[in-house]
Amino acid sequence: MTSTEKNQLAFGIKRAMPIVMGYIPVGFALGVLASGNGLSPFETGVMSILVYAGSAQFIAVNMLGAGISPLPIIITTLLVNLRHILFSASLSPYFREVNKKLIPLISFYITDESFAVSITDVKEKSLTHTYFLGLYITSYLSWVLSTILGSAFGSLIPDTKALGFDFALPGMFLALLCMQLKDMKTIAVALAAGALSMFFIFTIPGNWNVILATIIAAALGVFLEK
Amino acid sequence: MKLSYVYLIVGMGIVTYLPRMMPATVLSRKQLPELLIRFLNYIPAAVLSALFFPSVLVTGHEINIGMSNPLFITSLLTFPIAYKTKNMFLTVIIGMIITIILNNLIYQ
């Protein structure tokens, strides 16, 4: 590894810290729920390793607990995770500098949070695959380990709410959002997306709020440029 | 581990991986149309806002914009810090400290 690559790896790991602080309590909570619905720590861990998608895993564990068969759970998972198409497409111009062979690996780790941090960083500076792997795999490991630990030792967990952890991910989103607000058009897009997202939560069932609000608000931004 | 559970997690893994992998793999080889690039440029701001606002304002089945919502109050107090410093870690740490204070002093 060159010194540039080492620096980028360290930078990626450092940038993962707020994600890790958000994933640990949420991962624990999922593990506790999973064990309550009859999954062993091993089964919970294998799901996290293969799927790595927080909200879909919560939904899947609840559906399993309700005795629903695999196919409806898989279809629900697909719908919940379709929003990753947008993230993956947004990152694609920045993957031009990345080794083509590594793109299928790196893109496995795209989540709401890892996408948000990496798209902010790649717009600021030129970054290579070592940055992506440092950021993404650190976040991934924190998720996998915390779901296993939550499943194994769920009964020992103190109330993470009292420790302020429920602000970790919202706080990270807020800071990243502030970094994006460069002009009036972007502010208008952000406000529209926030309002639409909350509107769709109450009007359209099935987790479509983020993807719909994002597409409509981004299209509005393009329209405002005219 | 039951066979049906193996089917389930492999199926979930595949349908989650494809939307993550396909656009990046296919589009990174292509020159994207200018209109699509302009659209994609707004995605980060839109997505962050679409994630952030519900995460602090929607509690259960209602929107709670008021003193009884600690995450809302914390967001209001940390917004100037986030906007001024643009520092993710600082924002999260200060916000967590404010949340602890609020949870332990006011929302007992």
Side-chain angles (χ1 to χ4, degrees), chain A residues 154-176:
Chain A
S155 53
L156 308 175
I157 305 308
D159 178 20
T160 51
K161 236 189 153 118
L163 300 172
F165 277 106
D166 51 350
F167 188 73
L169 291 178
M172 189 186 78
F173 290 141
L174 177 63
L176 291 165

Side-chain angles (χ1 to χ4, degrees), chain A residues 85-151:
Chain A
I85 289 176
L86 287 173
F87 304 160
S88 181
S90 293
L91 282 166
S92 67
Y94 301 99
F95 283 159
R96 288 172 164 263
E97 309 307 316
V98 170
N99 182 337
K100 292 275 171 290
K101 288 196 190 77
L102 287 170
I103 295 172
L105 172 72
I106 291 173
S107 54
F108 169 83
Y109 303 102
I110 297 172
T111 64
D112 293 343
E113 296 78 13
S114 67
F115 162 74
V117 173
S118 56
I119 197 78
T120 306
D121 290 345
V122 289
K123 280 177 189 252
E124 299 277 316
K125 49 177 131 178
S126 164
L127 292 159
T128 61
H129 63 275
T130 46
Y131 157 78
F132 279 106
L133 291 172
L135 172 72
Y136 285 10
I137 292 178
T138 308
S139 308
Y140 177 66
L141 290 177
S142 75
W143 175 253
V144 171
L145 291 173
S146 58
T147 56
I148 294 171
L149 290 172
S151 176

Side-chain angles (χ1 to χ4, degrees), chain B residues 3-89:
Chain B
L3 195 59
S4 70
Y5 186 74
V6 177
Y7 285 140
L8 172 72
I9 54 177
V10 169
M12 284 176 72
I14 292 168
V15 299
T16 304
Y17 178 57
L18 290 177
R20 282 172 172 164
M21 183 272 288
M22 295 293 289
T25 309
V26 174
L27 296 178
S28 61
R29 294 192 207 124
K30 288 198 167 88
Q31 190 60 49
L32 302 180
E34 196 239 345
L35 196 66
L36 179 62
I37 290 178
R38 295 210 328 247
F39 173 79
L40 291 177
N41 272 332
Y42 286 110
I43 296 280
V47 130
L48 286 162
S49 195
L51 290 165
F52 169 72
F53 281 98
S55 74
V56 297
L57 296 182
V58 176
T59 48
H61 292 285
E62 54 177 11
I63 296 178
N64 183 348
I65 305 177
M67 284 304 288
S68 64
N69 180 352
L71 287 179
F72 167 65
I73 303 297
T74 306
S75 303
L76 275 186
L77 295 172
T78 44
F79 176 72
I81 299 160
Y83 198 81
K84 275 262 185 309
T85 65
K86 309 271 194 259
N87 183 325
M88 190 165 64
F89 201 71

